[in-house]
Amino acid sequence: MKARIHVFLKEGVLDPQGKAVMNALRTLGFGEVQSVRQGKFFDVETDPLAPGESEARLREYCQKLLANPVIENYRVEVLEP
Amino acid sequence: MKVAVVRFWGSNCDHDAIEWAPRVLGLASEVIWYEERELRGADLVVLPGGFSYGDYLRPGAMAARTPVMEAVIAHARRGGLVIGICNGFQVLCEVGLLPGALLRNQTLTFLHQEVVLRCETAGSPFTAGIGKGRLLRMPIAHGDGNYFADAATLSRLKDEDRVAFRYVDAEGGLDPAHNPNGSLDAIAGILSEGRNVLGMMPHPERASEALLGSSDGAEILQSVLGSFQRA
Amino acid sequence: MADPKVTRALALQHGLTDEEWEKALSILGRTPSYPELGIFSVMWSEHCSYKSSRVHLRRFPTKGPRVLQGPGENAGVVDIGDGWAVCFKMESHNHPSYIEPYQGAATGVGGILRDVFTMGARPIANLNGLFFGRPDHPKTAHLMKGVVAGIGDYGNCIGVPTVGGQVTFNPCYDGNILVNAFTLGLLRADKIFRGYASGVGNPVLYVGSKTGRDGIHGATMASAEFSEATEEKRPTVQVGDPFTEKLLLEACLELMAEDVIVGIQDMGAAGLTSSSFEMAGRAGSGIRLDLDRVPMRESGMTPYEILLSESQERMLIVAEQGREARVREIFHRWGLDAVAIGEVTDTGRAEIFWHGERVVDMPVGPVSDQAPAYERPMREPAGLQSRTALDVASLPPVAPAAALLALMGHPDLCSRRWVTTQYDQTVRTNTVLGPGADAALVRIKGTTKAVAMSLDVNPRYCKLDPFEGGRLAVAESARNVACVGAKPLALTDCLNFGNPEKPEVMWEFARSVDGISEAAAAMETPVVSGNVSFYNETNGVGIHPTPTIGMVGLLEEVDARLDPAFKEPGDAIVLLGETFGHLGGSAALWVLFGLEAGSPPSLDLSAELRLIALLQELAAHGLARSAHDCSEGGLLVTVAECGLASGSTLGADLSLATRGLSPLARLFGEDASRAVVTAPRGGEQGVLETAARLNVPAAVIGTVRRERLVVRLDGNPAADLSMAQLRAAWENGLRPIVG
């Protein structure tokens, strides 16, 4: 299976890197930019998983390691079963 | 009192932490490898600073998932003493022994500088011998030391007198210009609910001899030993 | 993919000359294979072979009673007594840092750390010399931010403190920045490891990160000029992995504590090729490698690519036969691969196989140490004479207070705090004096000793007179080491120059080497390691000659150290050394008038030696409370720096006689062999008497006071500034660049 897992800061958690990127974009003349939030994604390849099981399994990756629930949310996306 | 220092892959203040108790208290330090599941009878466990696993993913995230941390959690749940310094603090937050998280410094850069800390409570083994209001000088050296917790957690920390240290100016006053990393409420160190786990971003082990500019950091270890002997 | 057919044209594309191609043909007696051509091209590149510099470098003094290892190894080693030794080296990472400043600088730090720990030393201090273009050049801010973050992130993560260095701005670096990284390590004097592939049948082990296509031909890139075209091309940049290097460091040091290793070498520039050829070359042995056993990160790599890859964090180890299992065991504990990829032979040849097929068969000696060496033509640059002519009398008069503010706030002289706060300065708990002191001072645990280190060069001096500039760089670095109380022991150098195929550049190089040699011999501080970086030119414009000197000294009693900071109001301020008011090449001319003109101050080596002895004696006997080298910016800048270093608001009352000098020359002139020290009130007599005994001119010039810096010249008020105002200028000097 191939999947992409997105991890991003929760709303309300200050994102100084996102803010710096926003300011840089605005300085470059992209005055329309109102907000930037920086996140990360993981491209994961696994052995075949039972149908219907993949997403729960990927969420477990997030809960156990990939995301810090205190500050981060996540979204999982199965690209190829 | 038996002192143990955990060594993770990539920990770079491990030697500093290992030499801390011998230098300050004349006590030996046991070195515990991250794969071990036993703390060999340690009374005080030190989680050292410095880039375990290269700070890849998130600082402290991978060290928090190593076998030794299960033993550290069990030790803490039994009331055993734990100090996490810098990366060790990040690990303690990642495993949930301490609330909140350490975010990127507000400057977006690594910061090394001497800071002044104000001891905010005498109510812990780590600070009983220091006393509320005392000022301590020691260095910080981190890229991710910006303490964050949600509003409910922060008010709980304050209500329960669990803020151990705050960043202050030379006279001991709160001043945003002296909060180097942008920490919430100028928090530099916090205690667990049971007051037996301390996490702090500044480095007391680097400020435990006059030759290196300050020996204030030694007081934390001396306080722990005093409390241990009284108990 | 089939290898391209090797022809003379292809060889020329690889950077070989016609003459070198003929030599390659005669060494092999046939046309080289494609991997063999790759090997010739990197081994005979300027970067690896020192072909333009070798004949000159022989003039360096390299021996001394304390030298345990001189040039020719991964790094030099110097005895510091009680069974301890220090291992150190400086290396440039200029071209990669210009192309990708963050990774270029980071991998520079990674490389020099590996050079030091392969010798068996634990790295305990990093310093770096950084040279950027003019402050308002459109690229300077980007390059500076990237380089500083890259140096910081690598050193911080691996846990080696960055304790000092130099940051200089000059338009000559607009198209070629310099990143010179220095590392010092500590080891037992009887446990030095070297890069020897000896003992027939001993296994050759590959350890560390896997091999990818990164940095192929980095060594040949460092041996060619930049142009608009190369800037567009962007070769594969190496990416640093300080976490893996930390594991590699711990694994190597653990392995070295046992008798398992015969020889070890970093796979730095030119990767597996240079490490295997150099190790076999030093031992006079042969080596057989099976390239298909090399751990690879990318698929479809060819022998040529594997041999030339410059992937970071890799080492080659020759182990004792039968002890491979122990090597693997230790490396696996640290999560690293250790793979046997070949063995030592007695054939004197490098025989390299790919899935059983012999793809390289070359004699080691002729390739590794009989690389071409050139006596390139030299010519004094036209116009140097007119450049050095300077009519001081024609300069407009300046107000000393305004001049001092301008100097203190100038990027060359202002506070380096924005840079140094990004470096962990105190990890390993040895740092007694960090950035801001004349020399960094790192204590040696378990002893009363400390090691002092300083990096110095004044590129303006070197441009105006490379010989005197080279001498002055050695003298200043030795003086800086003495200012903390230490005895200068030995030095490493990083010689950064333009295109050596230009006779003017070669002349500058040779003159610099002569100057360094003369001063190093007089100081009895041999050159124990170093690096040459040529081709620092873009579109035909070369940098100023920049021979960075890294001086290492020893302080036997760390408690006797001195630092530059004023201590108490009322302390006497004593100027040591003679003032001539020399303005040629000075910071004052550059900052106030935009002039790089005149000749640098002339150095009297015997006067310098007496001053250095005096500084050590003042420290050892506790006669002085502070000491600070008086060099760039002159006397008034030096005094202001002493006040600012105190961290509080201490200033000074100075009372000076002009003795026929203009205020500019008296206050901002740059003479060699001077220092400013303080003594407790009434203690100045001890300083003056000791100075007189050692035949060093010395005079009380004022006292330490609170809050202001007040200067009287011949009894008349000449300047009166608040230290707060000076501090504001000094602390904000980098702001126009970095924000």
Side-chain angles (χ1 to χ4, degrees):
Chain A
M1 182 205 48
K2 283 188 179 174
R4 178 164 289 179
I5 298 170
H6 301 260
V7 176
F8 41 90
L9 287 172
K10 285 180 176 172
E11 251 186 75
V13 177
L14 180 72
D15 177 11
Q17 297 182 79
K19 213 169 112 191
V21 173
M22 177 186 78
N23 290 337
L25 283 171
R26 292 178 64 102
T27 314
L28 288 171
F30 301 107
E32 70 275 19
V33 178
Q34 292 303 322
S35 161
V36 174
R37 303 283 285 169
Q38 186 172 321
K40 50 193 159 193
F41 69 84
F42 302 85
D43 281 334
V44 180
E45 286 181 48
T46 72
D47 292 339
L49 291 171
E53 208 184 83
S54 318
E55 295 211 353
R57 194 82 180 155
L58 292 167
R59 276 196 291 274
E60 239 179 293
Y61 296 178
C62 295
Q63 289 149 13
K64 291 265 171 71
L65 180 65
L66 299 183
N68 177 353
V70 176
I71 47 169
E72 290 169 329
N73 279 331
Y74 52 86
R75 193 174 74 238
V76 303
E77 196 184 343
V78 175
L79 301 174
E80 278 174 37
Chain B
M1 186 171 75
K2 288 185 80 172
V3 182
V5 177
V6 176
R7 235 183 150 187
F8 301 105
W9 273 353
S11 296
N12 71 30
C13 306
D14 48 351
H15 293 112
D16 304 352
I18 291 163
E19 292 163 10
W20 195 25
R23 178 176 301 124
V24 173
L25 303 176
L27 296 175
S29 297
E30 286 274 339
V31 181
I32 313 269
W33 189 238
Y34 77 98
E35 287 175 307
E36 294 184 49
R37 292 171 187 279
E38 285 286 321
L39 299 175
R40 289 185 244 143
D43 301 299
L44 169 67
V45 176
V46 181
L47 302 185
F51 293 89
S52 61
Y53 298 86
D55 273 4
Y56 299 161
L57 188 60
R58 293 182 307 281
M62 288 189 274
R65 275 89 184 161
T66 53
V68 74
M69 283 311 295
E70 289 170 32
V72 173
I73 292 167
H75 170 77
R77 299 251 189 271
R78 287 194 302 268
L81 299 174
V82 181
I83 302 181
I85 299 167
C86 197
N87 189 235
F89 184 14
Q90 295 161 339
V91 173
L92 290 171
C93 289
E94 279 280 342
V95 296
L97 282 175
L98 292 173
L102 283 314
L103 305 180
R104 192 90 191 126
N105 292 345
Q106 216 167 38
T107 57
L108 299 182
T109 57
F110 185 94
L111 276 181
H112 177 284
Q113 63 186 76
E114 191 180 78
V115 295
V116 180
L117 300 182
R118 188 173 71 199
C119 179
E120 301 291 69
T121 175
S124 83
F126 314 99
T127 55
I130 297 173
K132 184 168 174 169
R134 271 288 306 284
L135 303 183
L136 308 175
R137 282 187 309 121
M138 60 187 76
I140 56 165
H142 57 246
D144 301 79
N146 179 355
Y147 183 74
F148 171 81
D150 58 34
T153 306
L154 177 65
S155 71
R156 234 188 109 188
L157 281 174
K158 292 205 273 198
D159 292 347
E160 295 174 1
D161 190 29
R162 286 165 54 194
V163 176
F165 301 107
R166 282 197 169 86
Y167 300 106
V168 292
D169 63 25
E171 281 75 47
L174 286 170
D175 170 5
H178 286 84
N179 177 357
N181 50 29
S183 285
L184 189 66
D185 213 22
I187 287 174
I190 56 169
L191 296 160
S192 64
E193 217 176 325
R195 316 190 80 76
N196 59 319
V197 178
L198 168 69
M200 62 190 297
M201 288 312 295
H203 285 276
E205 84 284 19
R206 299 189 192 180
S208 290
E209 307 176 64
L211 178 63
L212 304 183
S214 169
S215 51
D216 294 350
E219 295 186 30
I220 293 175
L221 265 193
Q222 284 154 354
S223 173
V224 172
L225 183 65
S227 302
F228 185 80
Q229 285 166 340
R230 283 193 299 277
Chain C
M1 193 180 69
D3 283 341
K5 186 172 157 49
V6 176
T7 60
R8 177 185 297 264
L10 188 64
L12 297 183
Q13 274 173 36
H14 272 68
L16 293 187
T17 62
D18 279 307
E19 181 194 349
E20 289 163 359
W21 168 246
E22 294 300 333
K23 187 161 180 180
L25 290 179
S26 81
I27 285 173
L28 293 186
R30 58 176 165 78
T31 302
S33 68
Y34 187 51
E36 287 171 339
L37 173 62
I39 290 170
F40 277 120
S41 82
V42 293
M43 290 301 293
W44 291 1
S45 70
E46 189 65 59
H47 191 81
C48 292
S49 74
Y50 293 84
K51 58 189 170 192
S52 303
S53 57
R54 272 208 324 266
V55 295
H56 298 286
L57 299 179
R58 287 190 196 117
R59 296 199 291 277
F60 279 150
T62 59
K63 293 191 170 61
R66 287 181 181 268
V67 178
L68 302 177
Q69 176 65 56
E73 262 292 342
N74 288 308
V77 182
V78 172
D79 196 335
I80 59 166
D82 295 344
W84 292 105
V86 289
C87 172
F88 57 93
K89 189 183 181 186
M90 182 159 39
E91 202 158 76
S92 60
H93 229 217
N94 305 338
H95 297 79
S97 301
Y98 185 75
I99 290 168
E100 210 306 296
Y102 180 89
Q103 293 296 349
T107 52
V109 174
I112 193 67
L113 283 164
R114 285 195 300 283
D115 277 339
V116 166
F117 74 75
T118 49
M119 301 293 293
R122 176 174 285 281
I124 58 169
N126 283 336
L127 288 86
N128 47 72
L130 309 180
F131 302 82
F132 300 106
R134 63 187 157 85
D136 58 351
H137 186 277
K139 280 196 157 180
T140 298
H142 160 74
L143 291 168
M144 183 170 173
K145 286 177 182 174
V147 163
V148 170
I151 288 172
D153 284 358
Y154 207 102
N156 299 344
C157 183
I158 199 167
V160 178
T162 301
V163 293
Q166 173 173 358
V167 184
T168 297
F169 300 89
N170 190 290
C172 74
Y173 306 112
D174 281 353
N176 293 84
I177 62 168
L178 305 182
V179 173
N180 293 177
F182 168 103
T183 292
L184 178 133
L186 181 68
L187 72 166
R188 297 299 297 176
D190 58 355
K191 287 283 272 184
I192 301 173
F193 287 82
R194 293 180 171 89
Y196 274 79
S198 50
V200 175
N202 279 336
V204 176
L205 296 147
Y206 171 111
V207 302
S209 293
K210 292 180 169 40
T211 296
R213 289 191 173 89
D214 28 1
I216 290 175
H217 279 308
T220 38
M221 176 175 81
S223 307
E225 271 187 45
F226 272 167
S227 67
E228 306 288 349
T230 49
E231 201 168 329
E232 281 305 302
K233 221 161 75 182
R234 294 209 174 214
T236 331
V237 171
Q238 303 119 288
V239 173
D241 179 359
F243 169 56
T244 297
E245 179 138 317
K246 167 74 173 166
L247 301 175
L248 194 57
L249 161 70
E250 296 299 336
C252 285
L253 292 182
E254 204 171 306
L255 195 63
M256 287 163 165
E258 302 182 17
D259 286 330
V260 181
I261 297 185
V262 174
I264 177 165
Q265 182 154 337
D266 171 36
M267 289 191 226
L272 182 56
T273 295
S274 67
S275 54
S276 53
F277 273 79
E278 286 175 16
M279 286 180 82
R282 285 191 200 108
S285 62
I287 196 164
R288 204 190 68 85
L289 300 176
D290 290 307
L291 288 184
D292 41 289
R293 286 152 78 178
V294 169
M296 280 169 262
R297 201 178 63 219
E298 299 178 51
S299 56
M301 287 188 72
T302 64
Y304 175 91
E305 291 170 330
I306 295 165
L307 281 164
L308 301 192
S309 162
E310 294 192 357
S311 290
Q312 297 287 298
E313 290 91 22
R314 305 178 303 159
M315 301 265 204
L316 204 61
I317 290 179
V318 173
E320 292 283 355
Q321 214 168 340
R323 301 300 304 274
E324 304 96 297
R326 182 63 188 145
V327 177
R328 272 200 297 274
E329 193 182 330
I330 289 175
F331 275 80
H332 286 173
R333 194 173 123 77
W334 289 99
L336 297 167
D337 281 336
V339 182
I341 61 165
E343 62 180 19
V344 177
T345 66
D346 58 3
T347 59
R349 302 185 74 80
E351 297 161 280
I352 302 178
F353 294 83
W354 177 245
H355 294 291
E357 185 198 338
R358 188 188 300 254
V359 291
V360 171
D361 186 357
M362 303 165 88
V364 172
V367 177
S368 72
D369 39 58
Q370 289 164 40
Y374 299 122
E375 298 226 25
R376 295 198 186 274
M378 299 187 280
R379 187 167 60 232
E380 181 175 331
L384 189 59
Q385 298 295 346
S386 63
R387 224 176 155 162
T388 52
L390 170 69
D391 179 13
V392 180
S394 69
L395 296 171
V398 294
L404 180 61
L405 277 172
L407 282 158
M408 297 308 288
H410 188 270
D412 278 343
L413 291 161
C414 70
S415 165
R416 266 69 187 113
R417 189 177 157 80
W418 180 87
V419 174
T420 58
T421 51
Q422 296 186 55
Y423 302 151
D424 191 336
Q425 303 156 23
T426 53
V427 62
R428 302 206 61 78
T429 59
N430 294 320
T431 308
V432 180
L433 296 175
D438 289 67
L441 193 65
V442 172
R443 62 101 173 258
I444 306 300
K445 281 177 188 155
T447 73
T448 59
K449 297 173 196 287
V451 174
M453 293 154 280
S454 180
L455 300 193
D456 295 283
V457 65
N458 184 325
R460 263 193 311 272
Y461 290 176
C462 295
K463 182 66 193 174
L464 296 167
D465 184 344
F467 176 75
E468 205 62 66
R471 293 194 334 143
L472 285 161
V474 174
E476 185 182 345
S477 63
R479 195 184 319 131
N480 279 330
V481 158
C483 275
V484 303
K487 177 184 168 58
L489 294 185
L491 65 88
T492 180
D493 60 53
C494 210
L495 308 176
N496 309 275
F497 287 79
N499 181 348
E501 294 158 46
K502 294 185 178 167
E504 293 80 7
V505 170
M506 216 50 230
W507 179 84
E508 291 176 335
F509 181 79
R511 293 295 290 157
S512 297
V513 168
D514 285 338
I516 293 167
S517 300
E518 190 182 293
M523 305 267 159
E524 297 178 47
T525 52
V527 179
V528 297
S529 58
N531 156 251
V532 179
S533 171
F534 279 130
Y535 296 100
N536 294 289
E537 291 211 24
T538 296
N539 298 328
V541 181
I543 59 165
H544 286 0
T546 313
T548 313
I549 302 297
M551 183 67 74
V552 172
L554 178 64
L555 180 60
E556 288 286 353
E557 295 294 333
V558 67
D559 287 336
R561 70 191 174 279
L562 290 173
D563 65 59
F566 283 157
K567 299 296 183 300
E568 291 280 340
D571 284 356
I573 303 171
V574 183
L575 175 62
L576 306 177
E578 199 162 351
T579 297
F580 301 97
H582 193 94
L583 283 165
S586 66
L589 282 194
W590 175 241
V591 173
L592 305 175
F593 306 104
L595 286 175
E596 278 189 309
S599 50
S602 54
L603 171 69
D604 175 350
L605 276 167
S606 60
E608 186 70 53
L609 282 167
R610 291 195 298 272
L611 174 66
I612 285 171
L614 172 62
L615 287 163
Q616 289 172 68
E617 189 154 333
L618 293 178
H621 295 139
L623 292 169
R625 274 191 159 155
S626 70
H628 189 26
D629 164 41
C630 183
S631 52
E632 196 178 11
L635 176 61
L636 210 47
V637 165
T638 304
V639 170
E641 285 172 346
C642 295
L644 294 167
S646 73
S648 62
T649 56
L650 291 182
D653 270 317
L654 297 184
S655 196
L656 301 162
T658 50
R659 285 198 217 97
L661 296 174
S662 70
L664 183 69
R666 184 71 178 95
L667 299 175
F668 303 104
E670 295 178 12
D671 299 305
S673 316
R674 293 193 302 167
V676 168
V677 301
T678 57
R681 197 193 301 259
E684 62 268 27
Q685 214 46 43
V687 174
L688 297 176
E689 280 165 19
T690 314
R693 180 160 52 76
L694 294 179
N695 196 14
V696 176
V700 176
I701 57 167
T703 53
V704 176
R705 60 164 286 171
R706 288 189 205 280
E707 278 168 18
R708 302 197 76 79
L709 177 53
V710 180
V711 184
R712 293 179 155 271
L713 277 177
D714 300 329
N716 304 314
D720 184 354
L721 281 157
S722 83
M723 289 308 290
Q725 197 183 355
L726 276 170
R727 183 175 293 280
W730 183 67
E731 284 183 351
N732 291 312
L734 290 180
R735 202 151 272 194
I737 310 173
V738 295

